[in-house]
Amino acid sequence: KYYDKIVDCVMETKGEIIIYEGEPITASFHASSGGCRTENSGDVWSSYLPYLVSVESPKEDKREGYNTIVTVSCEDFKTKVNEKYPEAQLTDDRNTWIGDISYTEGNSVNQIKIGNTYIKGTEMRSLFGLKSACFELSMLNDSITFNVHGSGHGVGMSQHGANIMANDGKG
């Protein structure tokens, strides 16, 4: 259905690149922004790139599959955290496990206090196999539930956001 259009776009831009200060850019993309904003590159990766900054990516929360739920037992949570972050020192008192949470401009978890240590949201994403670092977590009985929004690292172009904007007639 889109083959001819894609071929035309590729041919029209053949040999062209986007540069910033004389160097090719890092042209990042992800599936779907979690907080209806993209992320600053430095909030996710080790360095800030001035052209990869947080911008609005509206209406993404309306798409199917935007929210996912990941539930782990408290015992599995404690084991995974203590193995990777022994300094967290999670004890049997679950009330001390989850503390302060700070957020990025894109609404993802910047860092969260787990036990005695702060862990980056991106690390929590990796540790528990979450679709993104845009999540809330809650503890109920013997389990911890991550309510996750979006999919991917959040830096650069959101594929779902771009599709929504195109369908809305944006250039």
Side-chain angles (χ1 to χ4, degrees):
K1 177 178 173 182
Y2 298 107
Y3 182 79
D4 290 338
K5 187 174 186 176
I6 292 169
V7 168
D8 288 345
C9 288
V10 169
M11 295 312 291
E12 286 176 18
T13 60
K14 184 177 181 180
E16 293 182 17
I17 63 169
I18 300 172
I19 61 172
Y20 180 81
E21 294 185 347
E23 295 294 323
I25 67 163
T26 299
S28 299
F29 61 92
H30 58 282
S32 175
S33 296
C36 292
R37 292 190 66 84
T38 63
E39 294 290 339
N40 292 313
S41 60
D43 290 336
V44 177
W45 301 328
S46 60
S47 64
Y48 281 92
L49 298 171
Y51 54 86
L52 288 177
V53 296
S54 180
V55 297
E56 285 187 23
S57 193
K59 301 182 187 176
E60 290 197 55
D61 56 340
K62 307 290 187 240
R63 75 168 192 83
E64 189 175 321
Y66 174 79
N67 291 308
T68 53
I69 304 291
V70 173
T71 302
V72 295
S73 71
C74 286
E75 193 56 41
D76 284 348
F77 182 88
K78 179 180 177 182
T79 298
K80 280 188 177 188
V81 169
N82 279 337
E83 281 177 359
K84 179 132 185 185
Y85 302 96
E87 67 278 13
Q89 299 176 356
L90 294 187
T91 66
D92 290 334
D93 182 3
R94 295 179 187 162
N95 293 323
T96 65
W97 288 10
I98 301 168
D100 296 333
I101 302 174
S102 65
Y103 297 92
T104 64
E105 188 175 348
N107 271 342
S108 290
V109 172
N110 181 41
Q111 62 179 4
I112 181 169
K113 188 172 185 188
I114 303 292
N116 292 329
T117 195
Y118 284 91
I119 301 173
K120 287 188 60 76
T122 54
E123 290 293 320
M124 292 292 286
R125 174 188 179 206
S126 178
L127 192 60
F128 292 99
L130 310 176
K131 284 189 171 186
S132 84
C134 186
F135 61 85
E136 297 95 33
L137 57 127
S138 59
M139 187 182 309
L140 182 63
N141 299 324
D142 290 332
S143 64
I144 293 178
T145 298
F146 294 87
N147 184 8
V148 185
H149 315 291
S151 182
H153 50 65
V155 179
M157 183 189 74
S158 165
Q159 292 172 309
H160 288 286
N163 191 48
I164 289 166
M165 291 169 67
N167 288 333
D168 285 349
K170 304 272 189 220

